[in-house]
């Protein structure tokens, strides 16, 4: 595999004056990554298009570009590059599984490479004001490399990671190349087998896309509320990085420079992680703040190993400590996943939010957050942003209603029974909201020539067919975990309205100020109460075959390759089911879905407060992925 090399001077001057020069010249620069992990920085002239970018890639990296597409997040670039912003990372993906035998592979000279990739050894992608401290780290790292202090690989975890040091030999940053993640082509620990952009450890998090999620978590941690370390996406060149030899994944290090797209995070000195320390000494505020962030970003991997613990007073084991959350690569999935919240059963999570925490939550604006992430991380997918919006709304409404952190986390978590999993209360509310949206669309569409209406939920490997919403079938018994009990000890959503009235009458301190209902009046007239929302879900029974994940014994539920270390539970259980997909709605349907979703939240919260939801001890299957 050919990789772009950098032969210029190792200094940090590039991150100041040259950046301004590039801006003033009107030129833009992009970093194009192939599916095999090779990276090339390209200066775009005004007349450049997708064809010219592919030609430069073919010359510089000796890679085939026929039958391939240039992609930025959700957007497939046709030919015009005018919408691509400066310093955007792009991905070259193959349209077909087999390469064209007629594709020319030209051998570039050193001069060709020098002319086509003139970026520095470490380039921060983006111009956010929040990158000031990260850019200083970069300067310190480059100085250390120039003085012969090279980075060292991190031996733990499933993915490739490297400690970069300063001139004193101290670790100051940890770098995780996107093409060395688990499953990625250049993974150094044997976990290979997929190209960048394909489903990864989590089906809703693609291979090579954990890096920008790390940066997104940093951006969303306003005012360093949860203490997420400074994080940025970088293009970085060094000989320490791993490049595998062909498709077999044989580790091949030949000492040549390799350019990578990677996340770079400030290294935080610490005494141990949460798995080595009793949780009783953890500050309530720290647990709450990390939990608030985890809920917003639907963190699917908040285990004890990625909560660093630092002693503050230098005393014994039970002195004052602070918590630092790291490893957010499995947040913001493309669909609702089962989260893993290590803190969910900690006593601190059952303590009500403080006034300061409630004020912070109240000020959160998920729509502004989405706009910010689109600007700062143009490669982020819209499906990820919809998860952010949904979970932030859920957090805001739940906190305002009076639920504590553990209650919110439990409503978001699924229950596992053997190889079966049941949707969380949050997912059930979403299913209800989507069903209501289906009924609204059906109500306004012409009925002529229409025998039935079938609404499909995309669940990946299996599809859930919801029965037509006829008056006769609306009387069928349902078995959801919200509402009042049925004969089987389960709960029906159909009586939430009564639960709300009783719960609100007898529950002091949780009254919410009046808020406007944005739903269309004709919809209100047609569906006057919550009980009618749930009746079209006749065929859905939690715990029945329709909810089962049928691929429990399939090969693709396990990691490829072998590892000499301990395997995570992600290697032992099947990939998670998708009960609700948010990306299949257009913008208008998405906004109407959110209106319905918000209408259903207060009844569900009141029902939980009233004690009608069965308390269940979940089988904890989430665990460390340790990138």
């Amino acid at each position: 595999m050919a990789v772009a090399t950098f032969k210029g001077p190792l200094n940090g001057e590039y991150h100041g004056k040259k950046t301004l020069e590039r801006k003033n010249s009107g030129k833009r620069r992009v970093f194009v990554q192939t599916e095999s992990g090779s990276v090339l920085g390209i200066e775009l002239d005004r007349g450049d298009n997708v064809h010219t970018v592919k030609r430069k890639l073919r010359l510089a990296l000796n890679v085939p570009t026929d039958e391939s597409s240039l992609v930025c997040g959700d957007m497939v670039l046709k030919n015009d590059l005018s919408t691509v912003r400066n310093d955007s990372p792009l991905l070259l993906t193959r349209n077909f599984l087999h390469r064209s035998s007629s594709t020319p592979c030209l051998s570039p000279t050193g001069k060709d490479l020098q002319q086509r990739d003139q970026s520095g050894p470490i380039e921060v992608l983006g111009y956010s004001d929040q990158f000031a401290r990260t850019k200083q780290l970069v300067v310190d790292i480059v100085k250390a490399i120039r003085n012969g202090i090279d980075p060292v690989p991190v031996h733990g975890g499933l993915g490739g990671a490297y400690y970069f040091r300063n001139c004193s030999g101290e670790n100051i940053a940890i770098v995780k190349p996107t093409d060395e993640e688990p499953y990625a082509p250049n993974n150094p620990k044997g976990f290979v087998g997929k190209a960048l952009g394909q489903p990864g450890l989590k089906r809703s998090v693609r291979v090579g896309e954990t890096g920008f999620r790390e940066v997104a978590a940093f951006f969303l941690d306003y005012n360093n509320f949860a203490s997420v370390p400074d994080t940025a996406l970088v293009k970085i060149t060094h000989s320490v990085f791993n490049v595998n030899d062909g498709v077999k994944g044989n580790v091949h290090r030949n000492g040549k420079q390799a350019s990578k797209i990677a996340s770079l995070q400030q290294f935080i000195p610490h005494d141990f992680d949460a798995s080595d320390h009793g949780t009783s000494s953890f500050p309530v505020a720290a647990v709450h703040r990390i939990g608030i962030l985890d809920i917003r970003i639907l963190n699917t991997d908040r285990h004890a190993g990625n909560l660093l613990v630092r002693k503050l007073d230098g005393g014994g084991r039970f002195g004052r400590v602070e918590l630092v959350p790291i490893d957010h690569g499995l947040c913001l999935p493309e669909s609702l996943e089962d989260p893993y919240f290590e803190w969910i059963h900690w006593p601190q999570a059952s303590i009500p939010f403080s006034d300061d925490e409630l004020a912070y939550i109240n000020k959160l604006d998920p729509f502004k957050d989405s706009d910010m992430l689109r600007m700062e991380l143009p490669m982020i997918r819209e499906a990820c942003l919809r998860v952010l919006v949904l979970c932030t709304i859920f957090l805001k409404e739940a906190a305002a209603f009076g639920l504590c952190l553990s209650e919110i986390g439990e409503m978001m978590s699924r229950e596992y029974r053997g190889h079966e999993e049941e949707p969380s209360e949050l997912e059930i509310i979403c299913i209800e909201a989507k069903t209501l949206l289906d009924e609204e669309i059906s109500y306004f569409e012409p009925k002529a020539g229409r025998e039935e209406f079938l609404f499909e939920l995309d669940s990946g490997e299996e599809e859930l067919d919801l029965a037509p919403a006829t008056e006769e079938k609306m009387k069928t018994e349902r078995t959801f975990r919200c509402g009042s009990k049925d004969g089987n000890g389960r709960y029906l959503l159909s009586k939430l309205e009564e639960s709300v009235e009783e719960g609100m009458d007898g529950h002091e301190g949780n009254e919410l100020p009046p808020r406007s209902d944005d739903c269309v009046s004709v919809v209100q007239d047609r569906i006057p109460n919550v009980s009618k929302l749930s009746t079209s879900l006749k065929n859905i029974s939690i715990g029945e075959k329709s909810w089962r994940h049928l691929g429990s014994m399939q090969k693709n539920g396990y990691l490829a390759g072998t590892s000499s270390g301990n395997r995570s539970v992600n290697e032992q259980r099947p990939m998670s089911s998708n009960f609700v997909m948010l990306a299949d709605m257009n913008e208008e349907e998405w906004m109407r879905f959110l209106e319905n979703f918000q209408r259903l939240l207060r009844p569900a919260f009141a029902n939980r407060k009233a004690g009608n939801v069965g308390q269940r001890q979940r089988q904890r299957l989430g665990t460390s992925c340790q990138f």
Side-chain angles (χ1 to χ4, degrees):
M1 179 192 308
V3 292
T5 63
F6 175 79
K7 300 179 181 179
L10 296 179
N11 60 64
E13 296 176 359
Y14 187 87
H15 303 282
K17 184 171 59 177
K18 290 190 179 180
T19 298
L20 295 177
E21 288 176 356
R22 186 174 65 250
K23 281 185 172 181
N24 294 334
S25 68
K27 287 190 175 183
R28 290 170 298 148
R29 181 183 60 179
V30 295
F31 294 97
V32 184
Q33 185 177 35
T34 69
E35 286 183 323
S36 61
S38 302
V39 178
L40 182 70
I42 299 177
E43 294 279 354
L44 295 180
D45 295 322
R46 293 185 184 276
D48 282 348
N49 54 32
V50 170
H51 175 72
T52 57
V53 168
K54 288 182 178 180
R55 179 174 57 82
K56 291 179 179 180
L57 279 171
R58 188 168 62 245
L59 288 171
L61 297 182
N62 195 28
V63 295
T65 58
D66 288 357
E67 305 296 348
S68 63
S69 298
L70 208 57
V71 177
C72 182
D74 291 320
M75 181 171 54
V76 178
L77 303 174
K78 299 300 182 182
N79 197 41
D80 182 26
L81 296 177
S82 60
T83 59
V84 177
R85 290 201 296 275
N86 193 34
D87 275 4
S88 292
L90 308 179
L91 179 64
L92 184 73
T93 62
R94 289 173 294 173
N95 296 338
F96 300 99
L97 292 178
H98 302 288
R99 296 180 179 178
S100 170
S101 58
S102 62
T103 300
C105 292
L106 306 179
S107 299
T109 65
K111 183 178 179 181
D112 291 331
L113 290 175
Q114 184 77 8
Q115 289 176 345
R116 285 167 173 77
D117 192 346
Q118 299 180 16
S119 55
I122 306 178
E123 297 283 350
V124 177
L125 307 190
Y127 297 96
S128 172
D129 293 337
Q130 299 184 62
F131 288 156
R133 291 188 296 269
T134 300
K135 290 182 177 180
Q136 184 56 52
L137 284 176
V138 167
V139 171
D140 295 340
I141 290 170
V142 171
K143 287 180 180 178
I145 294 174
R146 183 176 58 188
N147 285 290
I149 301 176
D150 291 322
V152 294
V154 178
H155 296 294
L158 302 178
Y162 304 85
Y163 290 128
F164 279 71
R165 301 178 287 177
N166 60 16
C167 290
S168 301
E170 301 168 328
N171 295 336
I172 60 173
I174 183 168
V175 171
K176 301 177 183 178
T178 58
D179 66 328
E180 297 188 27
E181 296 175 6
Y183 281 151
N186 292 318
N187 180 276
K189 299 170 183 177
F191 297 105
V192 295
K194 293 190 177 182
L196 299 179
Q198 294 182 336
L201 276 177
K202 299 282 185 179
R203 186 168 48 191
S204 57
V205 177
R206 304 179 193 230
V207 175
E209 296 190 0
T210 64
F212 74 73
R213 287 175 164 85
E214 297 254 22
V215 183
F218 168 66
F219 278 138
L220 293 170
D221 186 26
Y222 294 118
N223 302 320
N224 206 223
F225 188 72
S227 301
V228 176
D230 289 82
T231 313
L233 204 63
V234 298
K235 183 260 188 181
I236 185 167
T237 302
H238 200 279
S239 59
V240 72
F241 295 129
N242 185 68
V243 177
N244 286 331
D245 184 14
V247 296
K248 294 182 180 180
N250 299 323
V251 176
H252 178 67
R253 292 187 180 90
N254 53 16
K256 293 183 179 180
Q257 300 277 334
S259 295
K260 306 270 187 170
I261 299 293
S263 64
L264 183 149
Q265 185 172 82
Q266 177 189 8
F267 176 79
I268 303 297
H270 54 282
D271 297 287
F272 28 72
D273 61 48
S275 64
D276 301 321
H277 193 278
T279 61
S280 61
S281 65
F282 295 163
V284 173
V287 174
H288 282 191
R289 292 181 175 210
I290 292 170
I292 288 170
L293 176 67
D294 286 342
I295 288 171
R296 292 180 64 203
I297 62 179
L298 192 64
N299 196 344
T300 64
D301 193 39
R302 173 62 72 211
H303 58 86
N306 57 37
L307 284 174
L308 305 182
V309 182
R310 294 204 298 182
K311 296 179 181 178
L312 293 179
D313 53 10
R317 183 175 179 82
F318 298 101
R320 292 192 309 121
V321 299
E322 68 176 358
L323 301 180
V324 179
I326 60 171
D327 293 348
H328 298 100
L330 293 178
C331 72
L332 296 177
E334 293 183 39
S335 61
L336 289 181
E337 279 267 7
D338 183 42
Y340 183 77
F341 301 141
E342 181 73 28
W343 42 257
I344 198 168
H345 296 304
W346 293 356
Q348 295 92 330
S350 298
I351 297 176
F353 291 119
S354 68
D355 291 341
D356 289 343
E357 292 159 356
L358 289 173
Y360 180 88
I361 294 171
N362 184 58
K363 291 179 181 178
L364 295 174
D365 187 334
F367 298 101
K368 288 184 178 179
D369 291 344
S370 297
D371 290 340
M372 179 271 294
L373 290 179
R374 289 189 191 99
M375 179 63 64
E376 301 290 356
L377 299 170
M379 75 295 295
I380 195 168
R381 300 178 185 272
E382 284 298 313
C384 306
L385 298 179
R386 289 188 174 185
V387 169
L388 170 66
V389 169
L390 187 81
C391 292
T392 303
I393 290 174
F394 186 75
L395 168 66
K396 289 170 67 72
E397 295 283 353
F401 193 87
L403 298 187
C404 66
L405 185 62
S406 63
E407 291 173 315
I408 299 172
E410 286 173 358
M411 291 188 72
M412 299 176 72
S413 300
R414 296 177 183 173
E415 180 178 7
Y416 288 85
R417 296 182 178 180
H419 286 296
E420 301 175 12
E421 57 183 341
E422 300 180 358
S424 65
E425 294 170 59
L426 170 63
E427 289 173 303
I428 292 173
I429 296 170
C430 290
I431 292 171
E432 290 284 354
K434 210 163 185 182
T435 304
L436 175 55
L437 175 64
D438 168 55
E439 293 177 356
E440 293 171 7
I441 294 173
S442 176
Y443 179 80
F444 288 111
E445 285 182 350
K447 302 295 191 297
R450 187 181 179 92
E451 297 181 358
E452 68 172 9
F453 186 87
L454 182 63
F455 178 68
E456 297 181 356
L457 286 179
D458 185 356
S459 61
E461 297 175 359
E462 58 182 331
E463 295 182 353
L464 310 178
D465 295 340
L466 307 186
T470 60
E471 288 298 324
E472 295 78 14
K473 291 181 180 179
M474 290 175 72
K475 299 178 182 178
T476 306
E477 178 178 313
R478 306 219 3 271
T479 55
F480 275 93
R481 276 199 175 273
C482 298
S484 57
K485 270 190 179 180
D486 69 358
N488 297 323
R490 301 185 184 273
Y491 297 85
L492 304 180
L493 200 61
S494 60
K495 295 187 178 180
L496 277 177
E497 188 176 1
E498 295 88 341
S499 299
V500 172
E501 295 175 358
E502 297 172 3
M504 293 302 288
D505 291 341
H507 184 64
E508 298 180 359
N510 284 324
E511 291 80 4
L512 290 175
R515 61 181 178 89
S516 60
D517 194 335
D518 298 327
C519 290
V520 184
S521 59
V522 66
V523 177
Q524 291 176 323
D525 295 337
R526 185 174 62 85
I527 306 176
N529 58 56
V530 178
S531 62
K532 290 185 179 180
L533 303 183
S534 58
T535 50
S536 63
L537 298 180
K538 166 202 169 215
N539 289 342
I540 299 196
S541 175
I542 297 182
E544 297 299 327
K545 183 178 180 180
S546 60
W547 289 120
R548 292 177 182 173
H549 180 72
L550 300 179
S552 59
M553 299 306 292
Q554 295 179 359
K555 253 182 207 179
N556 63 1
Y558 301 87
L559 281 173
T562 59
S563 173
S564 57
N566 294 327
R567 291 178 177 268
S568 72
V569 176
N570 286 288
E571 302 171 62
Q572 303 166 13
R573 71 179 179 91
M575 288 186 176
S576 182
S577 298
N578 290 332
F579 295 113
V580 180
M581 294 294 291
L582 304 178
D584 59 353
M585 293 176 275
N586 62 37
E587 190 63 26
E588 179 183 357
E589 291 170 344
W590 167 241
M591 297 309 297
R592 287 162 65 182
F593 166 83
L594 288 179
E595 292 172 356
N596 299 334
F597 175 73
Q598 287 183 273
R599 290 181 63 194
L600 291 167
L601 288 180
R602 290 164 60 91
F605 296 151
N607 203 53
R608 169 165 278 273
K609 277 294 187 184
N612 291 332
V613 178
Q615 300 300 314
R616 51 190 180 177
Q617 183 71 27
R618 291 179 174 83
Q619 181 180 352
R620 307 299 300 277
L621 289 184
T623 187
S624 169
C625 288
Q626 296 183 7
F627 290 131

